[in-house]
Amino acid sequence: MKRDQPEKRDTLFLEQQRLRQKWIWLLVGIVAAIAWAAFIQQVVFGNPVGNRPTPNYVVWLIFILFGIGMPWLMYFIKLVTRLDSSHLTVRLRPLLTRKIPLKEIASFEARTYRPLREFGGWGLRFSPRYGRAYNMHGNRGVQLILSNDDKILVGSQHADELAEALRKSMRRS
């Protein structure tokens, strides 16, 4: 079985989300185009960019990070939420995975939230007031309160279904 494929036999809920906001893709495209243009102009054609040009190694670094790396990351980043009989796993692929044992969840509820106001945007976010958020797009999710009082919001396009699956799973255990 591939490492990225969640095990299906014990899965009670599975959702995969990708970045869909057009404005983010537009911004990434503009930044990447500038990095590519500077690289081609200065490194390929040998024409220094600007009045005080950056050394070629810095242009290479900017090109690799912003011309290739950032578009690659934005294309491949995915939020995978998986619930099985003992854990809720939230994976922001390819960056990190958080496995939450169901016995550590004190309470939860599906809710509408304000991503910009409460967490400062999408992705992996932290707010002193609202806790940690794992969200990709939209404004619906499941708010978890853990037994140690940590707050975690898991963004979902199917928040009510995730909450119901959590409810059923926690009744069984």
Side-chain angles (χ1 to χ4, degrees):
M1 181 177 290
K2 285 185 178 178
R3 187 174 164 211
D4 289 339
Q5 280 184 324
E7 222 175 290
K8 299 264 190 239
R9 68 174 197 265
D10 190 29
T11 301
L12 305 170
F13 179 87
L14 177 64
E15 179 180 19
Q16 298 184 31
Q17 301 177 68
R18 292 187 172 275
L19 281 175
R20 294 190 336 204
Q21 296 94 328
K22 290 182 176 136
W23 66 271
I24 291 176
W25 284 107
L26 179 64
L27 186 62
V28 167
I30 290 170
V31 171
I34 291 169
W36 276 83
F39 177 80
I40 291 169
Q41 183 70 22
Q42 183 165 320
V43 176
V44 175
F45 293 135
N47 299 326
V49 176
N51 295 337
R52 294 176 42 194
T54 302
N56 280 356
Y57 74 89
V58 175
V59 176
W60 268 100
L61 183 64
I62 291 169
F63 171 69
I64 291 167
L65 290 175
F66 296 102
I68 297 171
M70 191 170 63
W72 178 88
L73 179 64
M74 296 315 227
Y75 180 77
F76 283 104
I77 198 162
K78 179 174 25 173
L79 180 65
V80 179
T81 306
R82 180 178 178 264
L83 175 65
D84 62 33
S85 59
S86 61
H87 292 87
L88 175 64
T89 304
V90 182
R91 184 169 187 211
L92 194 57
R93 189 193 92 177
L95 304 173
L96 60 92
T97 299
R98 173 92 187 250
K99 204 169 192 176
I100 305 164
L102 294 183
K103 63 184 177 188
E104 290 184 13
I105 299 174
S107 66
F108 62 90
E109 70 171 331
R111 76 175 184 96
T112 300
Y113 64 99
R114 297 168 297 187
L116 290 171
R117 186 175 286 171
E118 292 179 30
F119 297 102
W122 294 269
L124 171 61
R125 299 296 198 179
F126 179 77
S127 160
R129 182 174 177 192
Y130 298 103
R132 189 169 309 276
Y134 300 87
N135 57 12
M136 198 53 65
H137 58 88
N139 65 348
R140 294 277 298 151
V142 174
Q143 180 73 60
L144 308 170
I145 308 292
L146 303 184
S147 53
N148 64 2
D149 289 332
D150 281 353
K151 297 175 185 174
I152 299 173
L153 181 109
V154 179
S156 174
Q157 302 307 298
H158 307 283
D160 295 321
E161 292 173 33
L162 174 56
E164 185 57 31
L166 265 169
R167 203 171 338 285
K168 288 178 182 176
S169 183
M170 290 179 75
R171 272 190 220 134
R172 288 181 198 155
S173 51

